[in-house]
């Protein structure tokens, strides 16, 4: 059986998103994938090649001013070289983001990732979880505590460092990594059988 390769292409401004990227990586590895972290702010030719060789790419960025960070936008624009050749066509894609507010326009960042993936001809993997913390029996420790379907969303207080990223948000990011790895395995098996 082929081991799926999952790469997490992310930018982190203050370290919170890097902690989430590591959680996504850990979830993917836990599900049996070969998983790589790629900080897009300093991406190298070797890391571009790693993305090209991946079965799935998970995009991650903080939400700044209602969208992904500037550094992530630079990466997205640079990925147009892959778009011309449709190098990422039929790969899987997913995404995660973090901001200081409970909503903080995180959905817009995830939609930006979805459109980027769509332009590349990639297949989007959603979170696959019901919303948590939305009834009297729920708690802030539920998976998907912010109730986002498109990807993993996290909220971090602006006056606290990366060590304070909420445990439920980390667990939700791990879930996303596992889901992407498991979906990639199904896709690889399907291609092998076709």
């Amino acid at each position: 059986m082929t081991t799926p390769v999952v790469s997490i292409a992310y930018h982190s401004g203050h370290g919170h998103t890097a902690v989430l990227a590591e959680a996504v990586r850990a979830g993917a590895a836990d599900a049996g994938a070969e998983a790589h972290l790629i900080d897009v702010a300093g991406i190298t030719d070797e890391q571009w090649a790693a993305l090209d060789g991946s079965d799935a790419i998970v995009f991650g960025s903080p939400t700044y001013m209602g969208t992904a960070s500037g550094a992530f936008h630079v990466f997205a624009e640079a990925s147009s070289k892959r778009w011309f050749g449709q190098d990422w066509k039929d790969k899987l894609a997913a995404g995660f983001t973090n901001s200081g507010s409970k909503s903080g326009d995180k959905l817009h960042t995830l939609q930006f990732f979805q459109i980027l993936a769509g332009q590349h001809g990639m297949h989007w993997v959603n979170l696959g979880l019901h919303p948590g913390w939305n009834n009297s029996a729920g708690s802030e420790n539920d998976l998907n505590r912010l109730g986002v379907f498109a990807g993993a969303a996290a909220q971090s207080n602006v006056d606290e460092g990366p060590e304070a990223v909420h445990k439920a948000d980390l667990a939700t990011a791990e879930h996303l990594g596992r889901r992407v790895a498991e979906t990639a395995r199904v896709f690889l098996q399907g291609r092998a059988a076709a």
Side-chain angles (χ1 to χ4, degrees):
M1 179 184 300
T2 304
T3 300
V5 179
V6 176
S7 289
I8 298 92
Y10 75 97
H11 172 251
S12 185
H14 302 284
H16 303 86
T17 309
V19 170
L20 291 163
E22 171 53 31
V24 173
R25 188 210 61 77
D30 183 58
E34 177 185 326
H36 306 280
L37 289 175
I38 298 174
D39 182 347
V40 301
I43 192 166
T44 65
D45 289 341
E46 292 78 20
Q47 290 171 321
W48 279 111
L51 292 174
D52 296 342
S54 297
D55 300 300
I57 301 172
V58 183
F59 301 124
S61 170
T63 295
Y64 292 155
M65 302 306 291
T67 189
S69 66
F72 193 92
H73 276 270
V74 168
F75 160 76
E77 188 172 326
S79 77
S80 65
K81 292 177 183 174
R82 271 68 187 166
W83 174 82
F84 281 108
Q86 289 293 279
D87 299 344
W88 294 353
K89 185 175 183 179
D90 292 329
K91 293 183 185 299
L92 299 179
F96 63 97
T97 189
N98 177 75
S99 71
S101 298
K102 297 291 189 275
S103 173
D105 296 320
K106 286 185 266 289
L107 179 59
H108 185 260
T109 300
L110 293 171
Q111 289 171 330
F112 168 72
F113 294 156
Q114 288 176 315
I115 292 168
L116 176 64
Q119 288 177 328
H120 280 287
M122 302 170 82
H123 303 285
W124 189 260
V125 179
N126 60 47
L127 188 57
L129 286 174
H130 284 292
W133 200 22
N134 67 353
N135 60 59
S136 60
S139 86
E140 68 174 297
N141 298 310
D142 293 343
L143 286 178
N144 196 18
R145 71 187 181 110
L146 299 178
V148 177
F149 295 94
Q155 180 273 329
S156 299
N157 293 331
V158 297
D159 60 344
E160 294 182 308
E163 69 284 349
V165 172
H166 200 286
K167 301 263 188 272
D169 295 342
L170 291 173
T172 301
E174 287 176 13
H175 167 85
L176 179 65
R178 280 190 298 277
R179 181 167 166 83
V180 169
E182 290 162 0
T183 304
R185 179 170 285 106
V186 170
F187 263 61
L188 288 173
Q189 289 172 345
R191 283 187 186 130

